[in-house]
């Protein structure tokens, strides 16, 4: 039984009161893609625009000073949220994708050569694959993938063998803390230690972790930890790149322009200190203020309570789906090993058909490869359907989801619409 009562929080989210095209009340189970926003976030952003908005850092006038104070206060709030040693370790970016690209471009170009390897896992999001492929195109380095076992976890023996085989040629181990498809929670601190023993840097994609569990970057001890605002009730257009201060200091800047410089001459430029060095141009000011409101909101609900609540919902979904013939849940079968993500497949019903059917019941899920094509290929499938939970989802919603999925088998079986949309 959950200690968190979602019905207390649902009124905070105006969008949850709407209906879908079918006329059914909305059951929003697409939180892995993006969550919804409470009034606290919408109001904080609206208040900024209506009361004290101006560009930050440059103006010596009341509004600019107020905006700057609030923008920097948001940075301190994020630093506290992550237990970072210093707020200069918190950089605002456009999102997880932008943050990983920043690391690959700056740290990568500086530290990786043609004989080197980047180590990933088979369950990474494209945002944590493609920037490394691009680094490989620029430098000639190679990208390695740690395989998964049949439980949907990284096969630790294979991981060990990669470290043994490639050792210090692996310059970076970049991995997700929670798989956006399987829900698998990875052993972040242990993997960081293993990488450190081989002198490799570490990057943790916490896009699916930061919204759902308390993060302590000092306990993880990774060099980079990254997440997006929009997956934890915050705005789109903002994400966080946490970096260890000594490493950020040694990295060259990425985007050049205003704010990231000390001086500019016709001959060249000198770079500003952290964090400005990585925040060229006008930053996402209002988004940072919205992000702070979101962090305050979910912190008040409690990250542990959110995690425990999602465990209850995930367990309920697993139990319900287990009774549906032909359905396979991807990843760990034990909900205790997962975040609040339940992806599943039927052998002869396409994921898009399932999502469309659920939509007629008001239920929003995601269908497709979820930006994890290598994982789907590895699993021998082209697509899956995914329900993903957040603090405002109820047990009743999970039950209507399970009920609607069970109707799918009657609707599309026995002949099914075989592979109609598969390529
Ligand atoms: N990594 C993971 C694990 C994700 O789930 C996502 C979002 N689906 C991303 C990276 C990319 O995040 P964004 O689209 O906010 O840049």
């Amino acid at each position: 039984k959950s200690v968190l009562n979602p019905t207390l929080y649902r009124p905070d989210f105006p969008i949850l009161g709407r209906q879908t095209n079918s006329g059914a009340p909305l059951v929003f189970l697409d939180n892995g893609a993006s969550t919804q926003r409470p009034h606290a976030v919408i109001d904080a952003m609206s208040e900024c625009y209506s009361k004290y908005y101006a560009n930050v850092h440059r103006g010596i006038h009341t509004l600019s000073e107020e905006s700057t104070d609030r923008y920097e206060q948001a940075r301190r709030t994020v630093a506290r949220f992550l237990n970072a040693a210093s707020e200069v370790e918190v950089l605002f970016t456009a999102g997880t994708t932008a943050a990983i690209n920043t690391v690959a471009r700056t740290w990568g170009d500086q530290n990786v050569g043609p004989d080197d390897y980047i180590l990933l896992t088979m369950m990474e999001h494209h945002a944590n694959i493609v920037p490394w492929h691009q680094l490989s195109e620029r430098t000639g380095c190679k990208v390695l993938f740690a395989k998964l076992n049949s439980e949907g976890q990284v096969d630790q023996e294979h991981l060990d063998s990669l470290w043994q085989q490639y050792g210090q040629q692996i310059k970076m181990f970049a991995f997700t803390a929670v798989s956006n498809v399987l829900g698998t929670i990875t052993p972040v601190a242990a993997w960081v230690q293993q990488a450190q023993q081989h002198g490799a840097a570490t990057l943790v994609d916490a896009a699916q972790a930061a919204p759902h569990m308390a993060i302590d970057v000092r306990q993880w001890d990774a060099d980079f930890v990254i997440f997006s605002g929009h997956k934890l009730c915050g705005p789109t257009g903002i994400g966080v790149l946490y970096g260890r201060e000594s490493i950020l200091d040694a990295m060259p800047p990425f985007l050049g322009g205003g704010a990231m410089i000390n001086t500019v001459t016709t001959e060249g430029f000198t770079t500003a200190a952290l964090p400005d060095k990585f925040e060229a141009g006008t930053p996402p000011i209002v988004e940072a203020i919205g992000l702070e409101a979101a962090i305050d909101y979910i912190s008040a609900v409690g990250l542990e309570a959110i995690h425990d609540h999602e465990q209850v919902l995930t367990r309920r979904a697993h139990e319900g789906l287990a009774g549906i013939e032909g359905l396979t849940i991807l990843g760990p079968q034990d909900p205790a090993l997962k975040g609040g993500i339940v992806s599943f497949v039927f052998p002869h019903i396409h994921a898009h058909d399932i999502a469309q059917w659920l939509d007629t019941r008001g239920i929003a899920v995601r269908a497709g490869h979820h930006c994890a094509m290598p994982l789907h290929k590895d699993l021998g499938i082209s697509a899956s359907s995914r329900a993903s939970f957040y603090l405002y989802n109820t047990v009743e919603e999970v039950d209507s989801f399970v009920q609607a999925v069970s109707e799918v088998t009657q609707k599309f079986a026995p002949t099914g619409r075989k592979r109609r949309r598969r390529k």
Side-chain angles (χ1 to χ4, degrees):
K1 183 119 183 82
S2 176
V3 287
L4 184 157
N5 180 358
T7 57
L8 292 179
Y9 301 110
R10 290 181 69 84
D12 294 341
F13 294 80
I15 206 169
L16 296 181
R18 69 161 282 177
Q19 299 182 335
T20 65
N21 290 339
S22 65
L26 174 68
V27 175
F28 190 76
L29 303 182
D30 193 17
N31 297 288
S34 204
T35 56
Q36 300 297 346
R37 277 125 212 87
H39 280 300
V41 171
I42 300 166
D43 294 350
M45 296 176 76
S46 160
E47 188 182 284
C48 173
Y49 279 128
S50 11
K51 295 194 178 153
Y52 61 92
Y53 176 81
N55 210 333
V56 291
H57 297 321
R58 274 151 258 176
I60 305 179
H61 58 76
T62 304
L63 296 192
S64 182
E65 279 172 10
E66 278 184 36
S67 284
T68 303
D69 283 353
R70 292 296 303 271
Y71 180 68
E72 291 305 328
Q73 180 186 309
R75 194 190 307 280
R76 287 192 291 277
T77 298
V78 174
R80 260 201 317 279
F81 179 63
L82 296 174
N83 195 29
S86 158
E87 71 218 47
V88 304
E89 298 184 319
V90 172
L91 310 176
F92 290 124
T93 68
T96 298
T97 303
I100 300 176
N101 275 275
T102 301
V103 175
R105 284 266 169 188
T106 58
W107 180 91
D109 283 10
Q110 190 181 39
N111 292 286
V112 177
D115 297 329
D116 294 331
Y117 291 83
I118 302 293
L119 175 57
L120 311 175
T121 81
M122 197 58 90
M123 59 182 165
E124 298 310 313
H125 187 281
H126 293 167
N128 195 31
I129 300 175
V130 181
W132 305 114
H133 280 326
Q134 291 174 302
L135 178 67
S136 162
E137 287 178 0
R138 290 196 300 281
T139 66
C141 74
K142 288 177 193 63
V143 183
L144 300 168
F145 289 84
K147 288 185 195 155
L148 307 187
N149 62 23
S150 57
E151 271 292 289
Q153 293 170 306
V154 169
D155 179 346
Q156 186 63 45
E157 272 180 31
H158 183 243
L159 190 56
D160 293 345
S161 74
L162 290 173
W163 283 116
Q164 238 160 35
Q165 187 176 349
Y166 297 99
Q168 305 222 333
Q169 284 172 288
I170 298 175
K171 293 292 174 220
M172 163 69 81
F173 183 19
F175 58 91
T176 192
V178 176
S179 159
N180 69 313
V181 178
L182 308 177
T184 315
I185 299 172
T186 60
V188 176
W191 282 356
V192 168
Q193 261 189 11
Q194 189 172 26
Q196 285 171 349
Q197 282 159 13
H198 295 87
T202 44
L203 178 151
V204 181
D205 175 353
Q208 297 291 347
H212 310 283
M213 58 178 74
I215 287 181
D216 181 337
V217 291
R218 282 188 264 184
Q219 194 254 329
W220 277 358
D221 206 28
D223 297 310
F224 303 101
V225 176
I226 288 164
F227 67 91
S228 293
H230 67 94
K231 291 188 203 276
L232 44 71
C233 298
T236 55
I238 188 161
V240 168
L241 167 51
Y242 158 87
R244 195 191 299 282
E245 187 174 354
S246 55
I247 294 198
L248 292 178
D249 259 335
M251 276 158 53
F254 178 32
L255 299 176
M260 53 70 72
I261 51 87
N262 234 340
T263 55
V264 181
T265 64
T266 49
E267 277 72 48
F269 69 98
T270 58
T271 308
L274 293 174
D276 297 358
K277 176 173 148 184
F278 289 101
E279 293 186 1
T282 299
I285 302 162
V286 187
E287 289 74 12
I289 286 155
L291 175 63
E292 175 179 42
I295 286 175
D296 286 345
Y297 184 86
I298 62 168
S299 302
V301 177
L303 272 298
E304 270 183 37
I306 292 173
H307 181 70
D308 291 349
H309 177 62
E310 290 174 2
Q311 282 276 301
V312 170
L313 300 180
T314 305
R315 202 166 283 281
R316 184 94 174 180
H318 272 229
E319 283 164 9
L321 295 179
I324 300 175
E325 209 186 314
L327 183 148
T328 305
I329 295 175
L330 305 180
Q333 301 299 302
D334 179 358
L337 304 174
K338 308 177 35 160
I341 289 174
V342 180
S343 296
F344 59 96
V345 287
F346 284 105
H348 299 303
I349 310 171
H350 195 274
H352 287 164
D353 290 332
I354 296 167
Q356 250 165 29
W357 173 254
L358 295 192
D359 186 52
T360 67
R361 295 288 183 261
I363 302 165
V365 299
R366 187 141 289 240
H369 53 61
H370 318 297
C371 298
M373 288 175 85
L375 170 63
H376 278 77
K377 180 157 189 255
D378 191 56
L379 296 172
I381 53 180
S382 61
S384 58
S385 308
R386 177 184 74 185
S388 47
F389 310 126
Y390 209 29
L391 61 98
Y392 37 69
N393 291 125
T394 64
V395 167
E396 292 72 26
E397 286 182 316
V398 174
D399 289 346
S400 25
F401 157 70
V402 169
Q403 170 63 30
V405 175
S406 73
E407 291 163 8
V408 167
T409 49
Q410 288 140 39
K411 179 107 179 104
F412 294 99
T415 52
R417 289 200 232 159
K418 284 179 197 163
R419 298 162 189 263
R420 186 163 52 86
R421 289 205 193 82
R422 288 196 188 185
K423 286 213 188 89

